[in-house]
C-alpha cells in the first residue's frame, strides 16, 4: 500500500532503500534519541530493512519532489513511520489500538514533513484500519518528538520510569501520549 500527501509518499520499505536509510540512520542525532543504535554500514541498513522495517504498516517516508531530497530520484527514503501492532508495542495495548513510531533524517527536521506523514497515517489508521486509538511514546529527552505529537493532537497519558531500552542497553523514562478516534474528525 502507498499513501500520498501533498509533499510525501509513504510506501513499503525495499532493500534498494539501504543506501538512503544508511545516509540518515547513521547520524547519531537520529537513532539513539529514539532508542536504537546508529547504522554502521549500508549492509547493516539492508539487514534492518529485511528484518525490521519490511513489515505490515511500516512505511518509508519519501519526498515527492526530488529537489527536496537533494537526490536524483523523488522516491528516496528520508525517514520511517509505522503503526505498531499490540504484540510488538512498547506499552500494553488493547484490540483496536496501535502504537505510532517514526523518525526523520536531520536535513528534513523543522519543515513540517513529519506532521504531514503522521496526519496521513492517522487517517489511514482510523478510517481504513478502524483503530480506536493511537499511542505514541518518546524518551524523556526527545523534545522534538513531544512537540510533533502535540501538534498532531496527541495528549499526555502516562509516564513509565526505569524502562529498559533494549536496543541501546540502557534504562530510560518513556512518556506516552494518546489520540482517540473520537477526538479526531476521522469517523
Amino acid at each position: 500500500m502507498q499513501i500520498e500527501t501533498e509533499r510525501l509518499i509513504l510506501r513499503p520499505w525495499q532493500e534498494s532503500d539501504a543506501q538512503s536509510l544508511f545516509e540518515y540512520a547513521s547520524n547519531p542525532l537520529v537513532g539513539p534519541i529514539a532508542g536504537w543504535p546508529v547504522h554502521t554500514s549500508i549492509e547493516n541498513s539492508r539487514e534492518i530493512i529485511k528484518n525490521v522495517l519490511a513489515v505490515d504498516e511500516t512505511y518509508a517516508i519519501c519526498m515527492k519532489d526530488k529537489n527536496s531530497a537533494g537526490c536524483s530520484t523523488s522516491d528516496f527514503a528520508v525517514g520511517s513511520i509505522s503503526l505498531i501492532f499490540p504484540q510488538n508495542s512498547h506499552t500494553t495495548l488493547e484490540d483496536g489500538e496501535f502504537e505510532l513510531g517514526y523518525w526523520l533524517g536531520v536535513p528534513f527536521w523543522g519543515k513540517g514533513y513529519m506532521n504531514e506523514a503522521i496526519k496521513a497515517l492517522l487517517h489511514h489508521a482510523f478510517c481504513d484500519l478502524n483503530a480506536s486509538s493511537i499511542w505514541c511514546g518518546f524518551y524523556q529527552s526527545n523534545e522534538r518528538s513531544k512537540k510533533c505529537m502535540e501538534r498532531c493532537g496527541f495528549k499526555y497519558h502516562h509516564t513509565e520510569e526505569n524502562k529498559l531500552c533494549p536496543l541501546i542497553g540502557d534504562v530510560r523514562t518513556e512518556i506516552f501520549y494518546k489520540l482517540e478516534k473520537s477526538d479526531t474528525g476521522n469517523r
Side-chain angles (χ1 to χ4, degrees):
M1 179 175 165
Q2 181 169 295
I3 300 169
E4 292 193 29
T5 71
E6 181 181 337
R7 301 179 295 169
L8 305 172
I9 297 169
L10 310 180
R11 59 146 174 88
W13 281 92
Q14 305 161 0
E15 284 187 50
S16 59
D17 294 320
Q19 170 71 43
S20 59
L21 176 58
F22 175 68
E23 181 175 338
Y24 298 111
S26 62
N27 186 321
L29 295 175
V30 177
I33 199 162
W36 45 270
V38 297
H39 290 205
T40 56
S41 67
I42 293 172
E43 186 55 38
N44 174 228
S45 292
R46 184 174 288 108
E47 288 301 312
I48 289 170
I49 290 170
K50 289 192 303 191
N51 298 318
V52 178
L53 299 175
V55 297
D56 288 341
E57 300 304 333
T58 295
Y59 302 90
I61 299 172
C62 303
M63 307 302 298
K64 278 187 176 177
D65 177 6
K66 66 183 178 183
N67 295 322
S68 297
C71 61
S72 60
T73 176
S74 60
D75 202 17
F76 191 79
V78 299
S80 187
I81 190 166
S82 61
L83 292 171
I84 302 164
F85 292 88
Q87 63 270 25
N88 298 322
S89 176
H90 292 99
T91 193
T92 303
L93 301 180
E94 296 180 17
D95 287 341
E97 296 182 326
F98 291 91
E99 181 180 352
L100 177 69
Y102 56 83
W103 66 267
L104 191 63
V106 174
F108 304 93
W109 290 2
K111 296 178 171 90
Y113 294 123
M114 189 52 74
N115 293 348
E116 190 173 323
I118 289 171
K119 288 175 182 176
L121 202 59
L122 289 174
H123 180 79
H124 168 61
F126 290 131
C127 295
D128 301 332
L129 302 177
N130 200 29
S132 59
S133 59
I134 307 294
W135 292 85
C136 198
F138 64 94
Y139 294 113
Q140 192 169 29
S141 61
N142 195 343
E143 281 295 313
R144 286 183 166 278
S145 191
K146 174 186 175 185
K147 289 176 183 175
C148 188
M149 284 180 222
E150 290 172 346
R151 281 191 301 269
C152 291
F154 284 81
K155 303 290 182 210
Y156 172 80
H157 189 272
H158 72 278
T159 299
E160 296 179 15
E161 295 184 10
N162 300 315
K163 189 152 186 187
L164 178 63
C165 184
L167 298 176
I168 300 285
D170 65 4
V171 175
R172 300 181 179 184
T173 297
E174 190 167 9
I175 301 163
F176 285 91
Y177 278 47
K178 186 177 183 182
L179 181 64
E180 300 280 350
K181 182 177 186 174
S182 59
D183 294 334
T184 72
N186 297 303
R187 295 178 209 267

